Amino acid sequence: MIRSVPAFIEGYGPVEPFAGAFARLGPATRRSVTRHPVRPGQGKLLPSIRAAIEACGLKDGATVSFHHHLRNGDDVLRAVMAEIAAMGFRDITVAATSLFPVHAPLADHIRNGVVSGISATYIRGPVADAIAAGALPTPAVLLTHGGRARAVEAGDIRIDVAFVAAPTADPYGNINGVQGKSACGTLGYPMVDARCADRVVAITDHLVPYPACPIDISQEDVDFVVPVDSIGDPQRIVSGITRVTTKPEGKAIAAMAAAVIDASGLLKDGFSFQMGAGGVSLAVADTLKTIMSERGIVGSFAAGGITGTLVEMLEAGLFRTLFDVQCFDLKAVDSYRRNPAHQSMSASQYGNPHACGAVVNQLDAMMLGAAEVDLDFNVNVTLGNNGVILGGSGGHSDTAAGAKLALVTTALATNTHPKIVERVSFVTTPGETIDAVVTEAGIAVNPLREDLRERLRDAGLPVVSIEELQHKASCCDGVTPPPPVNPAEGRILAVGQYRDGTVIDVIRANPG
Amino acid sequence: MIRSVPAFIEGYGPVEPFAGAFARLGPATRRSVTRHPVRPGQGKLLPSIRAAIEACGLKDGATVSFHHHLRNGDDVLRAVMAEIAAMGFRDITVAATSLFPVHAPLADHIRNGVVSGISATYIRGPVADAIAAGALPTPAVLLTHGGRARAVEAGDIRIDVAFVAAPTADPYGNINGVQGKSACGTLGYPMVDARCADRVVAITDHLVPYPACPIDISQEDVDFVVPVDSIGDPQRIVSGITRVTTKPEGKAIAAMAAAVIDASGLLKDGFSFQMGAGGVSLAVADTLKTIMSERGIVGSFAAGGITGTLVEMLEAGLFRTLFDVQCFDLKAVDSYRRNPAHQSMSASQYGNPHACGAVVNQLDAMMLGAAEVDLDFNVNVTLGNNGVILGGSGGHSDTAAGAKLALVTTALATNTHPKIVERVSFVTTPGETIDAVVTEAGIAVNPLREDLRERLRDAGLPVVSIEELQHKASCCDGVTPPPPVNPAEGRILAVGQYRDGTVIDVIRANPG
């Protein structure tokens, strides 16, 4: 069951309520964009971020965008917002792809009125805390990767200026992410912003002679280029290595998830797969790797944020292609740099529900995480049981909607709280798009997937009901039901927007 | 002097007259586009061209588009138009990128009323003859490569259905041009149509499993995929080899043109260059190759339709990059397939004057051909002195406008007619964008480029006036002034649209 949401939310506007994962897929409009032509002989290089802000004609109330490919190493959002604040602008909306702890200074800009609006697909750290504390005068808007691309293309989010952190750029605005000290790999997220923003500024710490080949974002969309000393901390831009889980419980869950994929009938030539960078997902990938090698299965593609594990599978011939919206580690960056079978994809190509068919639609199996799952298979990856904003959908809802087999892997409980609950405190991803939940205590299959349940039973896998899992979760040693968070009444702090632009849930302030 | 054009042209509409090469470069609008979302599980594969036409909801009066990467080997335009005719549609506008002799059947569709409008950047052969004979009820619209991209993006040309000949496609609409028996290399022209058309149909003779990596045109823009036996004749799709001129006169002109480039001061590290596939251009490239090798000059890029000669220069380290809108020969196709420094570019990236800076704006030297040049340096590559439509601008006007040094190379006269004339019969490219004309009898420098004239004189090159060249041309043995073509009055058969969308000239029916 999805909660009802108000018809109008102050500071957000009229609400179209979520009505089903595929209820709103009529002809969709890509908005008209105004370009500022550049004549022969006219340059784009500017000496400072301030000069670029001035050249873009930024105004109070404007929307500026940023991407998160530099992850917790990004210094561009800080630098730009510091300049915007120093120039005295007010009432700015920050349309970020994701916000990390490194973006802490943004919390101050919220508190002092420079920033009055935030949207992102994932928010964690001090900015999330500021939002949860009610510091933002308007509700934060939590999107999905594909939904943000849709919103930017449709003009629901109108970006006045996109500031693109550019690991490499030339003086005429061609950008790539594979060269320079801040190399981060593909640039799937800002590709969309660069196409749709009114003005686009590349900020780079590696200015190279024209042209910055290979080109990920083209000069035809970039207005200005600003060289700076550093766009971030390379140590934090990509993690060096990702690790398979070593916990016995995690290993058991991973083994069961791999068995579910095997039993689903999807694991054959042409198989496609996506996972996160978590330890359980990596363990699943390891098992699939063994099965695919043994049986000589060649998959079509692996997608998503790409890890070294998937690169190894590509190089071993287990997949023909990688679709990469974002490199998760250095091995992925290196692979994208040199292997033509490792392709970039924009956030729109990845998950936009209003595109003429996104990559997620071609996914066979998707591995998903969860903070909570409820009896309707709804998943929460947004709100913690202590009221903390944990992150958000990212591509969670997009891949769940697209994949033939959307598998949630989770332990029954944390040390203190159940993870399978009667009702999630916030619906990130609707249960109708989740096919099964894999726990150490068995696999619950969504009643919508009777076919899958049969297959798993035939394979001798421990299929149980979601109710049974919920009951077991509540009985784990030391586990107590969490205190209520996200009440039915109260000020709305954040609006959860489903990928189609409807409102699927809200986060409200707790009383007192 | 540019001729005045009417304020309104029947069958074309209101006219904005050409007012200077850079007079119309205000903020430009990329039009809103409607997408038809595809849900998970929904396919795109259709059994026939007819099924695709039906699925697109084609109507009488619609505009359909085609690209010319298969050149004189293309069979897709014929096949689609035959089906459209057989289905009884009328009043169709064909928005082609270029039309070749192979497209002869289109002339019949014009005569029988299936087709009532044509636009293209280059038209040669029976379709050109049908237009010149007055068979089309509305004026044909002659565009430039960049101008067509601008018009399609702006919505001046609204494409209802883009039919994309696809050397390789997968069932979900990803397309590339580097695999399959009909491989043609880059797909720079249909990239624009695929982004902007209401519906996009891929027609392929090489259907591969998903995904068709490397992807040149993405699934997110393609509605339907139709497999067919053949999209064309591989023998005619790309020429096997291009040849340097062997005529003494051609060699003399080429040597002089190379000397002009050398004397211009542009031939140093970072040098950028574009040329056609003609014998004189190739001879110029050969000379530049020698000079660059000897002096250790490393150019930034060569652009355009790419030939094997430019590939050799890339591989010899004389250029860092190739920007390729279209491969001219097999060597170029092969290079694009395997060399990441050989990049594709869309027609918009190539020459769109309203893009935020096209590649032509970064060109140092451009080699241009001419059917006629006049005393104002205006160039005609569109209309023959017998009234035949010879082709059209292609990228002629775009590169002339963008390049620092736009050089026309031409003999003074053909066997029978002068090529340097008082006034061209049709202005394809305005003289203000031409820097010099190189002939076997000397070099005429545009008076706007006094600096260049000085440099050439200092280098001891034979600088003469354009009037002197015109006089000499008219005195060549056996040469007589051509009979008048393109009178000042009479029915307008074709409208020449400059890259910015203004009308620069018209072709009128000759009386009698």
Side-chain angles (χ1 to χ4, degrees), chain A residues 22 260-261 264 266 360 363-368 373-379 396-409 429-438 443-454 456 463-466 469, chain B residues 40:
Chain A
F22 306 104
V260 170
I261 293 171
S264 73
L266 295 166
V360 294
L363 269 179
D364 285 338
M366 175 69 205
M367 304 293 306
L368 297 161
V373 186
D374 71 17
L375 297 182
D376 292 321
F377 291 81
N378 294 316
V379 181
H396 199 284
S397 305
D398 301 309
T399 51
K404 290 194 184 72
L405 180 65
L407 280 188
V408 171
T409 57
T429 296
E432 63 172 297
T433 63
I434 300 295
D435 298 298
V437 178
V438 182
I443 305 151
V445 179
N446 191 320
L448 296 170
R449 293 297 311 277
E450 192 54 50
D451 60 318
L452 179 64
R453 191 200 312 252
E454 287 309 310
L456 302 193
V463 177
V464 294
S465 72
I466 188 80
L469 290 182

Side-chain angles (χ1 to χ4, degrees), chain A residues 26 28-30 32-33 35 37-38 44 172 195 210 219-222 300-301 320 348 356-359 361-362, chain B residues 26 28-30 32-35 37-38 44 172 195 210 219-222 301 320 348 356-359 361-362:
Chain A
T29 297
R30 203 186 274 159
S32 174
V33 177
R35 293 284 93 191
V38 171
K44 298 185 180 183
Y172 214 52
R195 289 295 292 178
Y210 183 89
Q219 64 186 48
E220 62 180 320
D221 287 318
V222 178
S300 55
F301 71 93
R320 282 186 274 106
S348 181
C356 196
V359 168
N361 289 2
Q362 292 289 320
Chain B
T29 298
R30 203 185 273 160
S32 173
V33 177
T34 299
R35 292 285 93 190
V38 172
K44 299 184 179 182
Y172 214 53
R195 289 295 294 177
Y210 183 89
Q219 61 186 47
E220 63 180 320
D221 287 319
V222 178
F301 71 92
R320 283 185 274 106
S348 181
C356 196
V359 168
N361 289 3
Q362 291 290 322

Side-chain angles (χ1 to χ4, degrees), chain A residues 198-223:
Chain A
D198 285 337
R199 290 289 199 173
V200 180
V201 178
I203 298 178
T204 191
D205 55 7
H206 189 228
L207 187 70
V208 298
Y210 183 89
C213 171
I215 295 168
D216 276 323
I217 292 176
S218 158
Q219 64 186 48
E220 62 180 320
D221 287 318
V222 178
D223 294 87

Side-chain angles (χ1 to χ4, degrees), chain B residues 118-454:
Chain B
I118 298 270
S119 68
T121 71
Y122 183 97
I123 311 180
R124 186 168 198 133
V127 179
D129 297 343
I131 292 165
L136 197 65
T138 62
V141 181
L142 302 172
L143 305 147
T144 75
H145 285 324
R148 183 181 183 278
R150 183 208 60 75
V152 169
E153 289 205 344
D156 294 353
I157 295 177
R158 289 190 81 106
I159 301 171
D160 293 294
V161 187
F163 293 94
V164 180
T168 293
D170 66 40
Y172 214 53
N174 293 297
I175 298 172
N176 75 55
V178 296
Q179 298 158 350
K181 63 184 175 185
S182 306
C184 62
T186 66
L187 293 171
Y189 298 119
M191 280 179 180
V192 176
D193 295 25
R195 289 295 294 177
C196 300
D198 285 336
R199 290 289 199 174
V200 179
V201 178
I203 299 178
T204 189
D205 56 6
H206 190 229
L207 187 70
V208 298
Y210 183 89
C213 169
I215 295 168
D216 275 323
I217 291 176
S218 158
Q219 61 186 47
E220 63 180 320
D221 287 319
V222 178
D223 293 87
F224 304 110
V225 179
V226 179
V228 295
D229 289 339
S230 166
I231 61 170
D233 175 359
Q235 298 302 317
R236 297 179 181 203
I237 288 173
V238 282
S239 61
I241 170 167
T242 43
R243 284 179 206 284
V244 172
T245 186
T246 52
K247 291 183 193 165
E249 186 184 72
K251 288 165 100 167
I253 293 171
M256 194 132 46
V260 169
I261 292 171
D262 192 11
S264 72
L266 296 167
L267 192 55
K268 56 191 179 194
D269 279 346
F271 175 65
S272 58
F273 180 60
Q274 181 170 340
M275 62 175 202
V280 171
S281 287
L282 291 167
V284 173
D286 260 5
T287 306
L288 292 180
K289 196 169 160 180
T290 306
I291 298 176
M292 292 172 78
S293 300
E294 283 173 5
R295 298 189 201 155
I297 293 168
V298 179
S300 55
F301 71 92
I306 294 295
T307 59
T309 300
L310 294 174
V311 169
E312 284 164 21
M313 293 178 82
L314 175 72
E315 292 176 354
L318 302 180
F319 289 109
R320 283 185 274 106
T321 314
L322 299 181
F323 275 121
D324 189 348
V325 69
Q326 177 185 21
C327 295
F328 274 158
D329 56 30
L330 291 170
K331 198 158 183 172
V333 174
D334 182 55
S335 166
Y336 175 58
R337 191 185 284 121
R338 60 183 169 68
N339 191 343
H342 186 152
Q343 296 248 301
S344 72
M345 64 177 169
S346 74
S348 181
Q349 200 176 350
Y350 173 28
N352 181 350
H354 289 174
C356 196
V359 168
V360 295
N361 289 3
Q362 291 290 322
L363 270 178
D364 284 338
M366 174 70 205
M367 304 293 306
L368 297 162
E372 291 178 325
V373 186
D374 71 17
L375 298 182
D376 292 320
F377 291 81
N378 295 316
V379 180
N380 167 27
V381 292
T382 306
L383 188 62
N385 52 31
N386 49 3
V388 167
I389 294 174
L390 299 173
S393 170
H396 199 284
S397 303
D398 300 309
T399 51
K404 290 194 184 73
L405 180 67
L407 280 189
V408 171
T409 58
T410 179
L412 282 181
T414 66
N415 286 340
T416 56
H417 293 97
K419 296 189 70 178
I420 316 292
V421 298
E422 192 178 335
R423 187 169 169 172
V424 290
S425 62
F426 180 89
V427 178
T428 309
T429 295
E432 63 173 295
T433 62
I434 302 295
D435 298 298
V437 178
V438 181
T439 72
E440 71 275 27
I443 304 151
V445 178
N446 191 321
L448 296 170
R449 294 296 311 276
E450 191 55 47
D451 59 318
L452 179 64
R453 191 200 312 252
E454 288 309 310

